Each structure stands twice: as structure tokens, then as C-alpha cells.
Amino acid sequence: MELAQMLAAAADQGPTRADWLAAWAALLAAVGTVGTFVWQARALSRERETRREEVNRLEADQRHAQDAQARTVVLHNPGCGGNRWVSIRDYGVTLGNYGMYPITNIRTTLTHRETQQDLSAGGPRPLPVLKAGDTQHLSWKVDGYNVVWPPDLDHRDLPNLFHCEVAFTDINGIRWVVQPGPGQQPSRVFDF
């Protein structure tokens, strides 16, 4: 019975110094735990942002590498033949693949700018592949379409009468279109 009386007496006394120390220690532990969670959440957020930036940088580098390979495909030396100041007989351009990889599925289109007439039927058949470092001369017969030589046009400006496009697929399976002219840049084709 004495033990019960001692416990009842201790309960009536209120909190002791040890009780207060234990309460403050529990409060500090709770604050420390919350602080740790906040610190870890901020660290996780920074880690995610760093990873997102790294993924974006890697994707940009990959896209730049793909674009660089496509930029090595060039159309040059566009020209026309025919009876000067009468009619144009043909149009030609040289396709060069100066990259390290072949291009495939090469298709061409040619349109007369003034009449918007499609002249592709008189052109080259699709090429299955053009190896790295190779060139191919592409030509279209346009004399059956009655394309006249404009009287005020110099022979060097004749290629500008036509809109020529060459579409190809690169080694990564990306479809591109390139046009002759200064500063030519290939463009990605998203639906073909």
C-alpha cells in the first residue's frame, strides 16, 4: 500500500524538473525532425531541378547533333537550260551529302513559282540512298510545260523561277526538307 500512496503523492505534486527536461527534449526533437524534413524537401526539389536542366541540356545537345548532320546535306549549282529568252528546257541542281552518314528515302518536288504548276513528274525518281560524301545531279525536264524565259531575267536568276525541295531521312529516322539558295537550312518534317 505504501507504493500506491507514494505514487498518488507524486501525482499530486505536478511536473518535476525531469518532466520539464523531457518535455523540452521532445519539443526540440520534433522541431529538429520537421527541420530535417524541410531541408530534405528543399534538397530534393533542387535535385529535381538540376536533373530537369541536365535532361533539357542533353536533349538540346542531341537535337543540335541531329541538326548538324542534316546541315551537311546541301543543294548547290541550280541551273536551267533552254533557248535563251524563248523557253526553258530543263532545271537541274546537285544534291550533296557531305556528312558522315548516308541519307535515305530521297524525294524531290519542283514547282514553277509564277504558275504554281507542279513539274515534279518530269524529274528524277526517288533515290533509296545517297552515301556519305556522295553527290547526285538531279534534273527535271520542263520543256513540255511551256515555261517561258522571262524577257527581263538574266540567266543567273533563272533558278529562282522554280521552287525546288528535296526531302530525305537521316540516320536517326528524322525526315528533313532542304531547298537550294544562300543560307539554306534544312527543316524537320513532322508529318509525311
Side-chain angles (χ1 to χ4, degrees), residues 94-184:
T94 301
L95 171 65
N97 179 11
Y98 302 108
M100 298 184 337
Y101 304 103
I103 59 174
T104 60
N105 195 20
I106 303 157
R107 300 191 185 284
T108 62
T109 59
L110 184 68
T111 308
H112 186 245
R113 289 187 191 271
E114 185 178 325
T115 63
Q116 295 300 311
Q117 188 173 14
D118 184 9
L119 308 172
S120 301
R125 292 196 292 180
L127 298 171
V129 67
L130 184 62
K131 295 178 186 173
D134 283 355
T135 60
Q136 176 73 39
H137 184 74
L138 308 172
S139 62
W140 289 261
K141 297 288 183 197
V142 297
D143 55 354
Y145 294 98
N146 296 323
V147 178
V148 295
W149 189 308
D152 58 343
L153 196 64
D154 187 87
H155 73 282
R156 290 173 297 220
D157 295 327
L158 284 176
N160 294 329
L161 292 175
F162 302 95
H163 176 75
C164 176
E165 284 188 348
V166 175
F168 63 93
T169 304
D170 69 7
I171 193 76
N172 299 307
I174 300 172
R175 192 80 175 146
W176 298 89
V177 171
V178 66
Q179 301 171 5
Q184 59 182 287

Side-chain angles (χ1 to χ4, degrees), residues 36-102:
T36 301
F37 284 141
V38 169
W39 180 78
Q40 285 181 345
R42 288 185 63 201
L44 181 62
S45 175
R46 285 187 196 146
E47 176 75 18
R48 284 182 182 161
E49 184 62 30
T50 302
R51 285 182 187 263
R52 188 176 309 118
E53 289 172 0
E54 184 67 17
V55 165
N56 289 342
R57 187 188 63 76
L58 289 172
E59 287 174 352
D61 288 349
Q62 180 183 11
R63 186 173 177 124
H64 179 71
Q66 292 169 346
D67 292 352
Q69 197 265 329
R71 282 192 298 271
T72 62
V73 177
V74 179
L75 294 174
H76 52 88
N77 298 330
C80 295
N83 298 327
R84 190 170 213 168
W85 294 291
V86 178
S87 67
I88 299 173
R89 181 181 63 245
D90 55 45
Y91 174 87
V93 67
T94 301
L95 171 65
N97 179 11
Y98 302 108
M100 298 184 337
Y101 304 103

